[in-house]
Amino acid sequence: MRVEAINKCPVPGLQKKRVCAYARVSTDSRRQEDSLENQTATYERMIKGNPEYEFAGVYADQGISGYCENRPQFQKMLEQARAGELDLIITKSISRFARNTVTVLKFARELKELGVGIFFEEQKINTLSGDGEVMLAVLASFAQEESRSMSENNKWSIKKKFERGEVMINTTRFCGYDKDEYGDLVVNRKEAEIVRLLFDLYLMNVGCSRLSDLLNYLGVKTMTDGQWESGTIGGMLSNEKYKGDFHLQKYYTPPTRRNATRRNRGEVQSYYISENHEPIVPPEIWERVQQRKEQTKRERNIGQDGTKKFQNRYPLSGLLICPYCGRTLRRRQVYKKKIQWLCSTYIEKGKKACRGIRVDDETLTGLNITEQTVVEEVVQNGKKHYCYTRKADFDRGIRNRTGCTETQDGSVLPGINRPRRTVIKL
């Protein structure tokens, strides 16, 4: 018997794990900003200080709720993981990663299939371990319930403040008023001149679109140093604060829709405080403006059936979409009382904002459009025609060209939601 020794192969050096960290704070306050900077620095030192780790960055989101999946840094981190550039993600706790149990488990499972683990420091859980997902599901449920409980407590606290007549407002985006050291509203004399000008001109039959164009032409900036919009002007003209009153709880957040406010039309209790602060415009002027606005709505038949402003005003309202900016087309009476549908952006901001599209109302007659549809102009043989594509298909890159065929007399057969017809020239 002969025994032959086989030399052992040298063990290659262990490959370092590519590790990143994720941090998040819910508000933009200076205190939390400092906390985020400290977390970022701490994670960087910790990862670089471990000889088994290769530092792959720190991703940090500020001022974004954990219920939101579309966090910029969070999504950037996921993209890096999907590209195979990460092995491990370190985060402080489950609630910092996400507040929703479904969200936590969805991304944890996706990353696990990619071979990327998540280590939650407070809970000592690694999703790549055997019992990691079970523990994660249980603790994520607790985190979600804790967040819901905190939200309910905040709502209760705000409701009690409203009942006591305590106002809550951020004047950094509110034209015409500042707050004093006691939190009360005080008139900003310079900004108040803008408010008075808007009310006076509106009573002289100058509409919101023309008012916004005028302020932009004069170089007057909004509170955020932006351009004035007609919707902003309309909201200011309806704001009861300019006559010295305060309507508390004008908006609310539905229980099933986080971070989505709705106009309060009696769904929750609201409170109205009269003569709360110094008015900028006299109450009688404010009332005349409201009467003028109601008169305009009646003349234009806007919202007279209890619907939203432009919803269902015409059969095609809200259904026709501009292919360039994605906004809806509006029905307008143009030269010689001709009816056309034009791009909303083009109407409000001009061709510099969107080249726009215009369609004759008679061209759309007979079309059975029941869902949002993108209207495109197509030139064939030197003639302009229209194609109609469902928005869902348009967003996926699908174009409907079947309706762009030129007939013998030069007309176009619409190609959406209707059977193909035979056209005979008489």
Side-chain angles (χ1 to χ4, degrees):
M1 182 177 68
R2 196 176 90 182
V3 178
E4 183 177 351
I6 301 176
N7 296 328
K8 64 180 181 178
C9 298
V11 179
L14 293 176
Q15 185 176 2
K16 290 186 177 183
K17 285 186 177 181
R18 296 162 298 180
V19 182
C20 77
Y22 178 74
R24 180 186 63 82
V25 292
S26 301
T27 68
D28 289 319
S29 66
R30 180 60 190 172
R31 182 177 178 181
Q32 291 219 325
E33 182 179 348
D34 293 340
S35 172
L36 194 63
E37 292 177 356
N38 292 335
Q39 289 183 54
T40 302
T42 300
Y43 279 128
E44 184 174 352
R45 287 196 303 269
M46 180 183 71
I47 296 173
K48 288 183 176 179
N50 192 323
E52 298 180 1
Y53 290 167
E54 177 184 331
F55 181 65
V58 178
Y59 299 89
D61 286 304
Q62 183 177 5
I64 305 177
S65 168
Y67 282 94
C68 176
E69 293 184 10
N70 295 323
R71 290 167 265 160
Q73 291 295 307
F74 184 77
Q75 289 298 328
K76 187 177 179 181
M77 178 184 68
L78 293 177
E79 290 175 5
Q80 188 175 359
R82 291 164 184 151
E85 300 173 359
L86 291 178
D87 298 311
L88 181 65
I89 298 171
I90 300 176
T91 188
K92 182 179 179 181
S93 64
I94 295 173
S95 62
R96 294 301 91 194
F97 190 79
R99 286 282 189 183
N100 186 294
T101 306
V102 175
T103 302
V104 172
L105 294 179
K106 181 178 74 172
F107 289 117
R109 288 167 181 167
E110 179 187 351
L111 292 169
K112 187 176 182 179
E113 291 179 359
L114 297 172
V116 181
I118 310 172
F119 181 69
F120 302 96
E121 290 186 296
E122 287 188 359
Q123 293 82 15
K124 307 295 183 186
I125 295 177
N126 190 326
T127 55
L128 294 182
S129 64
D131 59 349
E133 183 169 329
V134 177
M135 292 296 297
L136 184 62
V138 174
L139 294 174
S141 298
F142 281 117
Q144 181 177 346
E145 179 59 26
E146 180 187 10
S147 176
R148 188 199 64 79
S149 178
M150 291 172 59
S151 176
E152 291 299 323
N153 290 338
N154 288 336
K155 288 182 180 179
W156 181 87
S157 175
I158 292 173
K159 181 181 178 181
K160 290 301 179 182
K161 287 184 178 181
F162 286 166
E163 290 177 354
R164 294 193 298 267
E166 297 181 20
V167 301
M168 299 176 61
I169 186 172
N170 183 1
T171 57
T172 57
R173 300 171 63 93
F174 186 28
C175 181
Y177 285 101
D178 296 322
K179 283 197 294 189
D180 60 15
E181 63 271 20
Y182 304 105
D184 298 326
L185 290 178
V186 292
V187 176
N188 182 312
R189 303 301 172 187
K190 183 178 180 180
E191 296 173 3
E193 293 300 321
I194 301 174
V195 177
R196 295 190 186 99
L197 176 66
L198 294 177
F199 275 81
D200 291 341
L201 290 178
Y202 189 80
L203 290 177
M204 297 170 63
N205 293 330
V206 181
C208 295
S209 294
R210 291 168 63 189
L211 286 173
S212 61
D213 292 341
L214 175 62
L215 292 180
N216 291 328
Y217 175 77
L218 296 174
V220 179
K221 296 294 185 180
T222 64
M223 302 302 294
T224 56
D225 289 330
Q227 294 288 304
W228 289 90
E229 304 284 351
S230 59
T232 305
I233 304 295
M236 292 176 65
L237 295 175
S238 300
N239 197 329
E240 79 288 342
K241 298 178 187 66
Y242 291 124
K243 66 169 180 173
D245 296 349
F246 209 120
H247 189 182
L248 305 174
Q249 196 71 74
K250 283 196 290 189
Y251 295 87
Y252 75 103
T253 302
T256 57
R257 297 291 302 274
R258 293 187 60 88
N259 301 320
T261 58
R262 295 287 184 271
R263 181 81 181 190
N264 183 9
R265 305 185 187 279
E267 291 85 354
V268 298
Q269 181 70 54
S270 63
Y271 306 87
Y272 196 93
I273 306 174
S274 300
E275 301 179 2
N276 178 75
H277 50 273
E278 180 185 355
I280 291 178
V281 296
E284 55 272 17
I285 297 295
W286 189 89
E287 294 295 341
R288 285 176 56 193
V289 167
Q290 308 317 304
Q291 294 171 7
R292 173 63 184 156
K293 294 188 73 174
E294 289 300 321
Q295 179 184 349
T296 303
K297 288 181 180 179
R298 287 193 298 270
E299 291 173 352
R300 297 183 179 180
N301 193 31
I302 299 176
Q304 297 305 302
D305 57 353
T307 60
K308 293 181 180 179
K309 185 175 181 182
F310 293 106
Q311 182 180 352
N312 298 330
R313 185 179 173 192
Y314 301 102
L316 295 177
S317 293
L319 296 180
L320 304 177
I321 306 297
C322 174
Y324 306 115
C325 68
R327 292 191 62 187
T328 56
L329 306 188
R330 291 185 191 173
R331 190 177 185 271
R332 283 288 185 271
Q333 181 174 288
V334 293
Y335 182 64
K336 291 186 178 180
K337 296 186 177 181
K338 187 176 183 180
I339 303 300
Q340 290 185 334
W341 292 81
L342 290 83
C343 168
S344 301
T345 304
Y346 178 83
I347 293 173
E348 296 172 1
K349 301 180 181 179
K351 62 182 179 182
K352 290 184 177 180
C354 178
R355 59 185 292 186
I357 184 172
R358 59 176 66 216
V359 187
D360 291 341
D361 189 60
E362 59 185 21
T363 303
L364 302 167
T365 303
L367 292 183
N368 184 25
I369 298 178
T370 58
E371 58 183 298
Q372 287 197 323
T373 301
V374 178
V375 185
E376 293 181 276
E377 293 179 348
V378 179
V379 177
Q380 293 180 348
N381 300 325
K383 295 183 179 181
K384 182 173 68 174
H385 308 297
Y386 298 99
C387 284
Y388 309 91
T389 308
R390 294 175 179 83
K391 187 175 186 301
D393 293 338
F394 186 87
D395 292 340
R396 295 197 299 267
I398 302 173
R399 299 292 186 274
N400 178 20
R401 300 300 186 192
T402 59
C404 299
T405 320
E406 186 180 356
T407 62
Q408 188 176 357
D409 63 351
S411 62
V412 176
L413 294 179
I416 177 168
N417 297 334
R418 67 182 297 178
R420 174 90 53 184
R421 301 179 298 173
T422 302
V423 179
I424 300 175
K425 185 175 182 180
L426 300 177

